Amino acid sequence: NFVGEEGGTIRYFAPVYKNKESNYQSFTSAIMQIADPAKQAAFAKKYGSTAQINYSRTEDKYITISGRSLLNGETDPSVLKGKIVLLGYVSADALNIEDKHFTPLNKKSVGKSVPDMAGVYIHANILSMVSSGDYISKWPTWLVWTLAVILCWLHMALFIRYFIDKHIWFHLVAKIAQLLSAVLIVYIGLLFFYKWDIKINLTP
């Protein structure tokens, strides 16, 4: 169900797979349909074919119980009451990459690294996101382009004024304005994503 499993970072998943004949729910969508139909309906209404995963927990933040300890009576079964329980393969060996994927939570973001999260934990993060309603929102395209046009107009007004009236300062002012604007735009984009889980396409 993940998008980008071919060696890339798992940032998206497909809530529903659609073909000409019928639609198929993803693993997590089918689970939420049973666990909390209302929240699944709200999620399905907001997202169609692809949704971005809002990772909220690393592997150690989820309760992990081995099947052997549960069957041997070493774990109190009441800890599972009222919870969604996923069965999946998890290796204690950090270098074992069986069913492991790269995620944005990987501590090593540059250079060669080992996949950091087992598939079952990615599914758990998706379920946590849908259950809490803590989705990643996205600015509409028209709003991004409107902001881009306004910023472009303001910059051109500043550049033309200095080019005509104070030409001696034009290059210095233009370079400073470009640098400050670039830093400010990137900062605002990161701030919106970090504080309010709102993703802004900064390319325009």
Side-chain angles (χ1 to χ4, degrees):
N1 308 134
F2 305 139
V3 178
E5 286 187 88
E6 302 79 16
T9 301
I10 305 299
R11 301 179 188 276
Y12 302 90
F13 78 105
V16 178
Y17 173 75
K18 300 179 180 179
N19 62 16
K20 295 180 181 179
E21 298 177 357
S22 57
N23 298 336
Y24 300 94
Q25 283 189 320
S26 69
F27 177 62
T28 50
S29 295
I31 290 174
M32 283 305 300
Q33 188 65 45
I34 298 169
D36 197 326
K39 288 183 178 178
Q40 174 56 28
F43 177 75
K45 186 177 180 181
K46 188 175 179 67
Y47 293 98
S49 58
T50 306
Q52 186 168 356
I53 304 170
N54 188 5
Y55 287 94
S56 58
R57 304 182 192 179
T58 52
E59 293 184 344
D60 59 314
K61 299 299 181 183
Y62 286 103
I63 298 173
T64 305
I65 300 170
S66 72
R68 187 184 301 276
S69 68
L70 191 64
L71 293 173
N72 290 341
E74 298 168 7
T75 302
D76 184 3
S78 64
V79 74
L80 306 177
K81 187 177 181 180
K83 294 181 175 64
I84 296 174
V85 180
L86 301 180
L87 303 181
Y89 175 76
V90 177
S91 175
D93 183 5
L95 297 178
N96 186 342
I97 60 172
E98 180 72 24
D99 191 36
K100 276 200 168 185
H101 307 270
F102 291 101
T103 73
L105 301 182
N106 197 326
K107 293 180 180 179
K108 190 174 182 181
S109 57
V110 179
K112 292 183 178 180
S113 61
V114 177
D116 57 295
M117 188 171 288
V120 67
Y121 290 116
I122 299 178
H123 285 303
N125 267 285
I126 295 171
L127 291 170
S128 296
M129 176 184 74
V130 177
S131 181
S132 64
D134 192 15
Y135 315 135
I136 292 178
S137 302
K138 193 175 181 180
W139 265 22
T141 305
W142 68 267
L143 184 57
V144 173
W145 279 103
T146 301
L147 181 62
V149 170
I150 291 172
L151 288 175
C152 182
W153 183 83
L154 291 173
H155 279 77
M156 290 306 298
L158 176 69
F159 295 161
I160 291 170
R161 177 187 173 187
Y162 271 86
F163 186 81
I164 295 174
D165 297 338
K166 302 177 181 178
H167 187 73
I168 192 171
W169 297 106
F170 169 72
H171 291 288
L172 178 62
V173 171
K175 292 295 183 286
I176 291 174
Q178 288 172 338
L179 178 63
L180 291 178
S181 297
V183 171
L184 185 62
I185 289 169
V186 172
Y187 174 77
I188 290 173
L190 293 173
L191 182 67
F192 268 70
F193 190 77
Y194 178 73
K195 288 281 188 182
W196 301 288
D197 292 328
I198 297 175
K199 186 178 180 181
I200 304 173
N201 181 14
L202 299 175
T203 305

